[in-house]
Amino acid sequence: MLRIHFTPGDFALVRFLPRPAPLVELKLSLMTSRQRGSAVLLGRWRRDIGHRLPATTRPLWDLLQPFHGPAFLDPVSGDLEEGLELVRSTPGTVVRSDVAKLRRPQTPWVKALIARDTQAWDVLDRGLRDAYQSVLATSWNTVRERHAAEFTGFALRAAESGIEPALTTLAPGSELRDATWHIPASKDRDHHLTGKGLTLLPTFHWTYEPLVGSWPDLPVLLVYPAGPGVPPPRTPPPGDALADVLGASRARILRLLDHPHTTTELAARTNLSLATASSHAAALRRAGLITTHREGRSVQHTRTELGRMLNEAGPT
C-alpha cells in the first residue's frame, strides 16, 4: 500500500500540472515498451516501438528497466528543450546516486556519464531526442488533449465535491482516512508531505501503479496512470475533446470568452435561454475556468488563465 500523509495545510497545496511533461512521458513509455504483460493491449504497440527506435537510442537501455529508471532522466518541464537542459545539468553526485539504485553493472558509457564526460552526455542527449521523435512526437497532441481532459475533470470534481473526493478518483481503490491517502500498490511505502504540498501529473503510457517523486524543499510529485491503459494513437481521434469533458454548451461559452461577454450576449450567441447560459457560466466559474465581474449595470464574464490553457488544448 502506498500511503501519502497530509497535514491540514497540504490539502490547500494540491496542484495539478497544467501541461504534460515530455521527458516523464517518454521515460515511462520506454519502460512500458520493455514490459511483458498486457500483450493483447500493448503487444502491437511494443513491436511498433521496437521497429521505430533508431540505433542512437540503444544506450538508453543501459539505464532503463521495465519498472525502474533513474530520476534524473525525466525532470518535470513544460517542453522538451527545457527538460533536456535540466537533464544535462544534473550533478554527477545525483547521477551516481540514481544509477546505484538500479543495482546493475555499469557499462563504460554509464561510468562516463557519472564522470561528466562531454561525449557521453552528447550520446544521452541524442538518444533522448531521437526516442522522443520516434515514440511521442506524432502522438503528442493527443497526449496534450488527454492531459487537458484529466486537468479539467479534476478541477470540476474538486469544485463540486471537494479536494478529497477528487483525489480518490485518480487512483482506483484508493481512499482517504485520517488525512492519509491509501493507494493500492505492490509494496508498502509512506510519503509525508509535511507542509510541502502535492503535485499531480497524469501519464498515458504507464499502466502500472502510481509513482512518487520527492525532493527537499519541493512538493511531492505523484505520477498516476490515466485512461484505459493503452498508449495514445499516433494520430488524434476525431471529435471535440473539450466538449466531451465540459459538454457542448459550456465548451462553446468558454471559447467565446477570449473577450468579455455579458450573460445576455452569451445566451444570444449560443442560442440558449438566459437562465441556462447563466447556469453554465456559474459552473465554469466554480471550476475556475472563467471569472465574473461587474461593469456598471452589466456583469462581464472572462476566461481565466486556466480556462485559456484548456481552450488552447482542444480544437477551436
Side-chain angles (χ1 to χ4, degrees):
M1 186 69 69
L2 169 62
R3 291 176 291 269
I4 299 178
H5 303 268
F6 289 75
T7 67
D10 285 313
F11 287 107
L13 295 174
V14 174
R15 299 290 184 268
F16 200 112
L17 286 180
R19 297 180 180 86
L23 288 180
V24 174
E25 199 71 25
L26 176 62
K27 174 184 165 182
L28 294 179
S29 67
L30 292 173
M31 289 165 59
T32 298
S33 75
R34 305 293 276 189
Q35 296 168 11
R36 296 183 178 180
S38 302
V40 174
L41 290 176
L42 303 179
R44 182 176 180 179
W45 173 78
R46 289 185 183 123
R47 290 190 296 272
D48 188 34
I49 292 296
H51 292 147
R52 283 191 279 124
L53 284 171
T56 52
T57 65
R58 289 175 186 166
L60 299 178
W61 304 123
D62 292 344
L63 296 171
L64 295 175
Q65 300 170 342
F67 296 98
H68 301 283
F72 77 88
L73 281 185
D74 61 338
V76 174
S77 63
D79 62 64
L80 182 63
E81 291 301 323
E82 177 190 356
L84 291 171
E85 289 180 9
L86 290 171
V87 171
R88 188 117 194 182
S89 63
T90 307
T93 54
V94 174
V95 177
R96 184 180 297 107
S97 174
D98 283 357
V99 170
K101 295 174 184 176
L102 298 177
R103 297 180 180 179
R104 64 189 301 181
Q106 296 176 8
T107 64
W109 174 69
V110 172
K111 292 179 181 178
L113 283 177
I114 296 173
R116 301 299 308 180
D117 178 80
T118 299
Q119 289 185 342
W121 283 88
D122 288 344
V123 169
L124 178 60
D125 185 87
R126 176 66 182 276
L128 291 172
R129 289 179 185 276
D130 289 353
Y132 177 85
Q133 290 299 320
S134 301
V135 177
L136 289 183
T138 55
S139 63
W140 191 244
N141 283 339
T142 303
V143 172
R144 291 177 67 245
E145 289 173 5
R146 291 191 179 186
H147 183 99
E150 285 287 315
F151 187 111
T152 309
F154 180 82
L156 290 172
R157 288 189 295 270
E160 293 172 355
S161 305
I163 193 67
E164 295 186 26
L167 283 172
T168 56
T169 62
L170 301 182
S174 69
E175 58 179 340
L176 264 161
R177 300 196 309 268
D178 301 324
T180 298
W181 189 9
H182 298 256
I183 303 173
S186 59
K187 297 180 180 178
D188 281 335
R189 291 174 290 158
D190 289 89
H191 291 271
H192 296 265
L193 302 184
T194 62
K196 296 189 298 183
L198 180 68
T199 299
L200 304 169
L201 174 64
T203 174
F204 306 96
H205 286 78
W206 183 248
T207 59
Y208 200 45
E209 61 197 41
L211 303 170
V212 178
S214 182
W215 303 269
D217 304 322
L218 289 175
V220 171
L221 175 69
L222 179 75
V223 181
Y224 70 93
V230 179
R234 297 184 65 186
T235 55
D240 187 338
L242 188 60
D244 290 343
V245 174
L246 298 179
S249 295
R250 292 178 187 177
R252 288 201 303 272
I253 288 173
L254 188 63
R255 289 184 173 122
L256 287 172
L257 292 179
D258 49 352
H259 301 292
H261 283 67
T262 67
T263 307
T264 300
E265 289 170 338
L266 291 176
R269 295 194 61 180
T270 56
N271 295 319
L272 298 172
S273 69
L274 188 61
T276 300
S278 178
S279 176
H280 286 320
L284 293 170
R285 185 170 58 251
R286 288 195 300 271
L289 301 179
I290 71 171
T291 184
T292 301
H293 61 280
R294 181 173 293 279
E295 289 190 4
R297 295 185 178 182
S298 66
V299 173
Q300 300 278 345
H301 306 287
T302 309
R303 277 201 306 252
T304 63
E305 179 65 13
L306 171 60
R308 182 191 66 77
M309 289 187 297
L310 180 63
N311 181 68
E312 288 179 353
T316 56

